[in-house]
Amino acid sequence: MPVKNDAPALPGSRAVAKHVRMSASKARRVVNLVRGLPAKEALTVLQFAPQSASEQVYKVLASAIANAENNERLDPDALLVSEAYVNEGPTLKRFRPRAQGRAYRIRKRTCHITIAVEAVQVARPAKKASAKKANKAAEPAAAESQSTEGAE
């Protein structure tokens, strides 16, 4: 029996790069860096990551952000990397000649990189400021009540 998810799905978008000529394990190291980060921050992390896989992951993330912005009309500053995973693709098999007529197999691995972004509510600083004002207004009243209790 399928499990129903009652939580409303947040608006978002995704991008997939298939048959990337790179080992899935090497790409996963980079993808794990950006999972759960805000999209703009994730782009910055990928831009300065030393791994060669970061270039491909950067392109996929940029595409997911562009899809959300153009297709779904979402604000790129309010996007969060909700899903990021790498699956193995088909392996190209080649042979390397070795001594005495033997042949060793060379595996040229590929992977599929998938990144999904979704819009999140951005906390507005105006609400925080009004809450601070309310707390400051309540503090003098509480101080007055304490001082009157001590006088009695």
Side-chain angles (χ1 to χ4, degrees), residues 13-60:
S13 180
R14 59 183 246 161
V16 180
K18 291 195 169 198
H19 307 290
V20 177
R21 239 322 256 119
M22 182 175 306
S23 166
S25 59
K26 291 178 182 178
R28 279 189 195 112
R29 288 181 56 201
V30 176
V31 166
N32 290 338
L33 292 173
V34 298
R35 190 180 294 117
L37 291 178
K40 295 288 185 181
E41 187 179 330
L43 284 175
T44 307
V45 167
L46 290 171
Q47 192 172 2
F48 295 106
Q51 293 87 356
S52 62
S54 61
E55 184 179 345
Q56 293 293 329
V57 176
Y58 182 94
K59 288 181 180 181
V60 178

Side-chain angles (χ1 to χ4, degrees), residues 38 75-80 118-128:
D75 179 23
D77 294 327
L79 293 176
L80 181 80
E118 57 184 37
V120 293
Q121 303 273 338
V122 179
R124 295 192 176 122
K127 290 183 180 180
K128 290 181 181 177

